[in-house]
Amino acid sequence: MVLRRLLAVLLHSPQLVERLSESRPIRRAAQLTAFALLQAQLRGQDAARRLRGLAARPAGSLGRRAARFRDTFTEELRRSLRERPGPPPGSQRGPGANH
């Protein structure tokens, strides 16, 4: 509690704040913060630009891409099941199966 009060009093001292702002570690921290904020802003703008580009496409193009993905996925799944050695899934009887 005393440490918190002392820190609050020190940080409200304009001379101390000015001296700290001129110190190398504080300036470097400010540079890194500004860099991180700028990078986040640029990435956000890039993502928004890409989303606007996707939204500008005809509505059917997204549906066609989803259908093509579905078709490719099911074809790959069927091919892997055909090439899989052993009995097909579901044909094995487990401990609870009726004989």
Side-chain angles (χ1 to χ4, degrees), residues 12-28:
H12 284 91
S13 167
Q15 294 88 6
L16 179 63
V17 171
E18 186 173 341
R19 285 189 65 200
L20 281 174
S21 70
E22 294 170 355
S23 71
R24 185 173 173 88
I26 298 298
R27 282 188 318 202
R28 185 65 180 151

Side-chain angles (χ1 to χ4, degrees), residues 81-95:
L81 288 176
R82 279 194 305 264
E83 295 171 358
R84 183 173 170 253
S91 65
Q92 298 173 353
R93 295 202 173 182

Side-chain angles (χ1 to χ4, degrees), residues 9 11 13-14 19 22 25 28 32-33 38 41 46 49-50 53 59 65-66 72 79 84 87 90-91 93 96:
V9 168
L11 288 178
S13 167
R19 285 189 65 200
E22 294 170 355
R28 185 65 180 151
L32 291 174
T33 302
L38 182 62
Q41 181 182 15
D46 185 46
R49 191 176 310 113
R50 281 186 273 131
R65 289 179 67 189
T72 305
R79 184 180 326 138
R84 183 173 170 253
S91 65
R93 295 202 173 182

Side-chain angles (χ1 to χ4, degrees), residues 32-46:
L32 291 174
T33 302
F35 176 76
L37 288 173
L38 182 62
Q39 290 297 315
Q41 181 182 15
L42 291 174
R43 287 188 180 134
Q45 288 173 348
D46 185 46

